[in-house]
Amino acid sequence: PGALFYEGRVYHADRPDRILAFDPVSGRELWRAALRASVGPEQGVDLNTGLGAGAGLIYAGTRQGRVIALDPSNGAVRWEAQLTSEVAAPPVAAGRLVVARSNDGRIYGLDADSGAVRWAQASVVPPLSLRGAGRPLIDQGQVYAGLANGRLIAIAADGGDVVWEAAIGIAEGRSEFERLVDVDADLAVAGNLVYAAAYQARLAAVSTVSGRIQWSRDMSVHQPVLLDGDLLFVSTDQAEVMAVNRETGAVLWRQAELTGRRITAPVSFADAIVVADGQGYLHWLSPEDGSFVGRVRVSEESILATPVVGDGVLYVVDAAGALQALRRVEGGA
């Protein structure tokens, strides 16, 4: 899992049972929280998702199905909630609602003060699906989540009722692998459109009101969609970086020279689009035409987690768990 920037601090799980907090300027460690099993010590604690934040707390999910809420000032555990199976994505929060998802297809609305379950929605999980899930998105009183069956769902945040569903990916082919159409990419929203991408399927803009698809483009994506101004940036499963007009779906450019490098999702940083790769490099691309404007190797380990940007600093976690902070230098990356 990558780093989390929240309310002026950086958080990072450097091992499966520990979370650290850092000062974003100096890198000084502010606190560390060693997490323990609340029941059944033999179960242990295995943090398996990135960290989430909101409603004044930070959140972690475990393979044992627990959502753990911590005080960001000192790492004290404020509450825990037990889900029906492994937590599949970083929990998110808005207002007094925390939304978490479990690996058996359930989406939970939890009370931000206590962790009590306010509502839950279940979906059918196909026999074969990608591991994990995209984090839910909360906006304007609705919760959006991509499902393993290729559908995008909108849920009323207050009561948990399904508002609409839209088919982003349609399972086709003879084998279970060919029929994989998970909507695993983190979503993006702007105005009355929510943007979703599915593995072996398409990128689509969907009306937040009706669930009607406004436009779609065939591509296979399972990593977060980046919305930056009037453009969407995506990293495809063929390791292409693409820029798409968010209103029309027109592809403005594609950068195909990173094939085979296992690139991360793109982030916007220092007037460029940045992706990391499996060889420890960061690549800077021009948002206008996708040309390379910089490249630096920051680790001998793979970088599999999408970098995080906060207050003009880029935070990178490599496969060994090392956290680095990079700031733009005038005249260079």
Side-chain angles (χ1 to χ4, degrees):
L4 168 72
F5 184 88
Y6 180 61
E7 294 187 344
R9 289 183 173 182
V10 182
Y11 303 91
H12 169 48
D14 71 329
R15 67 186 198 192
D17 62 349
R18 186 169 68 185
I19 298 172
L20 308 177
F22 298 93
D23 179 277
V25 177
S26 65
R28 179 174 62 90
E29 183 181 313
L30 301 175
W31 54 256
R32 59 177 56 195
L35 305 178
R36 295 176 175 80
S38 55
V39 255
E42 69 281 355
Q43 290 184 334
V45 174
D46 192 353
L47 303 176
N48 66 315
T49 71
L51 303 175
L57 299 171
I58 60 174
Y59 309 95
T62 76
R63 293 189 192 278
Q64 294 77 26
R66 292 162 57 203
V67 175
I68 304 172
L70 299 96
D71 188 321
S73 66
N74 56 21
V77 174
R78 295 277 290 274
W79 52 256
E80 299 180 22
Q82 182 66 52
L83 308 187
T84 48
S85 70
E86 176 180 353
V87 180
V92 299
R96 307 314 303 165
L97 178 71
V98 180
V99 179
R101 18 187 346 176
S102 55
N103 213 38
D104 57 3
R106 288 179 170 86
I107 302 169
Y108 292 85
L110 308 175
D111 185 89
D113 294 320
S114 65
V117 176
R118 290 166 52 177
W119 52 259
Q121 277 288 347
S123 64
V124 176
V125 179
L128 183 64
S129 64
L130 298 179
R131 178 168 178 78
R135 71 184 72 204
L137 188 155
I138 308 172
D139 183 71
Q140 300 296 314
Q142 292 192 156
V143 176
Y144 304 97
L147 305 180
N149 60 11
R151 302 185 74 82
L152 173 68
I153 189 171
I155 301 170
D158 55 358
D161 295 327
V162 174
V163 180
W164 52 255
E165 290 189 31
I168 307 301
I170 299 174
E172 298 177 332
R174 295 183 178 181
S175 71
E176 293 295 342
F177 177 78
E178 291 174 330
R179 296 172 63 82
L180 279 173
V181 289
D182 297 39
V183 183
D184 264 7
D186 288 0
L187 311 168
V189 66
N192 62 351
L193 292 176
V194 57
Y195 302 94
Y199 180 70
Q200 298 189 141
R202 56 183 176 167
L203 170 70
V206 184
S207 167
T208 58
V209 177
S210 65
R212 196 168 292 171
I213 294 177
Q214 305 299 301
W215 58 256
S216 66
R217 291 291 177 269
D218 290 343
M219 62 181 71
S220 179
V221 177
H222 75 274
Q223 300 199 76
V225 174
L226 170 65
L227 173 62
D228 189 11
D230 293 330
L231 298 180
L232 298 168
F233 298 95
V234 295
S235 293
T236 73
D237 294 316
Q238 291 72 43
E240 292 183 323
V241 183
M242 301 177 65
V244 179
N245 183 293
R246 74 175 181 87
E247 293 291 345
T248 67
V251 176
L252 304 183
W253 55 256
R254 67 178 68 210
Q255 174 54 261
E257 295 184 21
L258 295 172
T259 301
R261 299 182 75 104
R262 291 188 299 159
I263 61 174
T264 66
V267 295
S268 179
F269 176 68
D271 299 322
I273 300 303
V274 180
V275 297
D277 72 17
Q279 299 177 29
Y281 284 88
L282 298 175
H283 305 269
W284 272 256
L285 283 65
S286 164
E288 283 76 32
D289 60 12
S291 60
F292 291 105
V293 296
R295 177 179 296 165
V296 60
R297 192 175 196 184
V298 297
S299 175
E300 295 187 359
E301 301 284 343
S302 299
I303 302 172
L304 305 178
T306 300
V308 172
V309 177
D311 285 352
V313 177
L314 183 73
Y315 300 97
V316 181
V317 177
D318 66 20
L323 171 65
Q324 297 184 58
L326 297 88
R327 190 184 296 276
R328 179 180 182 178
V329 176
E330 291 302 326

